[in-house]
Amino acid sequence: VFTAEKKRLIVDAFVKWRITNNEQFYITSSGGQLSAMRTLLTQRVDEGLRNQFGTRTVQEVVSGERDELMNILTTDLNTVAAGELGIEVLDVRVKKIELPTEVNESVYNRMRTERERLAQELRAQGTEIAEGIRANADRERTIILAEAYRKAEELRGNGDAKATGIYANAYNKDPEFYEFTRSLKAYQSTFENKSDVLLIDPDSDFFKYLDSSKGKKSE
């Protein structure tokens, strides 16, 4: 059958009917042959389907108007069947509506293409969002590291300033003792490893406190 948009559909329908006039049924069906009656009824159902589908769109056929279509078709068939065939049509139902194979393939291809396009679009959006998140994270990381470095340098500067102040205060109170402790630290650092060898002039100021048994600078 064809719809109002001239689109071809394959319709599978069935009919429930019963005999109401035995004499008319016997005459019409060539002596009560059910196959003959089925042929006559099928012709009228096909004609009714073509008429009803031809005034509706595909959307209307597969949506809520299908029940209305079946009711109209049942009523129209009964008008003919009661007088001509000797039967009553109880119900007409559409089991299945399909597009032709070539149309199905075309529809499926369009659907697949649309889904692939949508998937690519979603992937692109996801990639863009991910790049934005990574960029924000990198920017925040840079800011945090810079702030941490600034604070560390500030603390280091404050510590160095305090240490310098302590050293200066100690030197001002007892310059000789301050110089002595500095020399001891230098000795400890220099001779930390027993295998170390140091070549230096014995008269160098490096040994100025080692030359005196009293721990004073030799003159």
Side-chain angles (χ1 to χ4, degrees), residues 40-93:
L40 293 172
L41 192 55
T42 298
Q43 292 173 353
R44 285 162 173 75
V45 170
D46 288 346
E47 181 180 357
L49 288 172
R50 284 194 295 271
N51 292 336
Q52 293 300 323
F53 274 71
T55 60
R56 291 172 172 82
T57 64
V58 174
Q59 180 65 28
E60 292 170 343
V61 167
V62 299
S63 64
E65 291 196 18
R66 182 187 295 192
D67 290 338
E68 179 186 353
L69 184 152
M70 295 298 99
N71 291 333
I72 294 174
L73 184 57
T74 301
T75 301
D76 291 347
L77 282 175
N78 258 325
T79 302
V80 177
E84 296 182 5
L85 306 178
I87 64 172
E88 177 188 3
V89 176
L90 301 175
D91 195 13
V92 179
R93 290 293 161 186

Side-chain angles (χ1 to χ4, degrees), residues 170-171 173-184 209:
Y171 182 80
K173 287 183 177 181
D174 192 343
E176 183 70 21
F177 179 75
Y178 177 77
E179 191 172 351
F180 174 69
T181 56
R182 290 288 300 272
S183 296
L184 290 180
Y209 288 104

Side-chain angles (χ1 to χ4, degrees), residues 20 25 30 50 54 57 60 69 75 80 89 97 101 108 117 120 139 144 149 154 158-159 164 178 183 195 208:
T20 56
F25 174 79
S30 302
R50 284 194 295 271
T57 64
E60 292 170 343
L69 184 152
T75 301
V80 177
V89 176
I97 300 176
T101 303
Y108 292 151
R117 184 195 64 78
Q120 291 177 355
R139 182 168 58 254
I144 292 172
Y149 179 78
E154 182 179 343
N158 292 336
T164 301
Y178 177 77
S183 296
S195 62
K208 58 188 176 182

Side-chain angles (χ1 to χ4, degrees), residues 2 12 18 34 44 46 83 87 104 124 149 155 158 165 167 182 212:
F2 289 88
D12 185 7
R18 66 183 178 183
L34 290 177
R44 285 162 173 75
D46 288 346
I87 64 172
N104 266 337
Y149 179 78
L155 292 174
N158 292 336
Y167 292 149
R182 290 288 300 272
S212 174

Side-chain angles (χ1 to χ4, degrees), residues 155-209:
L155 292 174
R156 186 180 295 110
N158 292 336
D160 290 343
K162 289 182 179 180
T164 301
I166 293 172
Y167 292 149
N169 187 43
Y171 182 80
N172 291 332
K173 287 183 177 181
D174 192 343
E176 183 70 21
F177 179 75
Y178 177 77
E179 191 172 351
F180 174 69
T181 56
R182 290 288 300 272
S183 296
L184 290 180
K185 290 182 179 180
Y187 297 154
Q188 183 180 5
S189 176
T190 302
F191 300 108
E192 184 176 4
N193 194 332
K194 294 181 179 180
S195 62
D196 289 343
V197 177
L198 179 65
L199 298 178
I200 193 170
D201 188 347
D203 296 329
S204 171
D205 285 343
F206 185 75
F207 295 109
K208 58 188 176 182
Y209 288 104

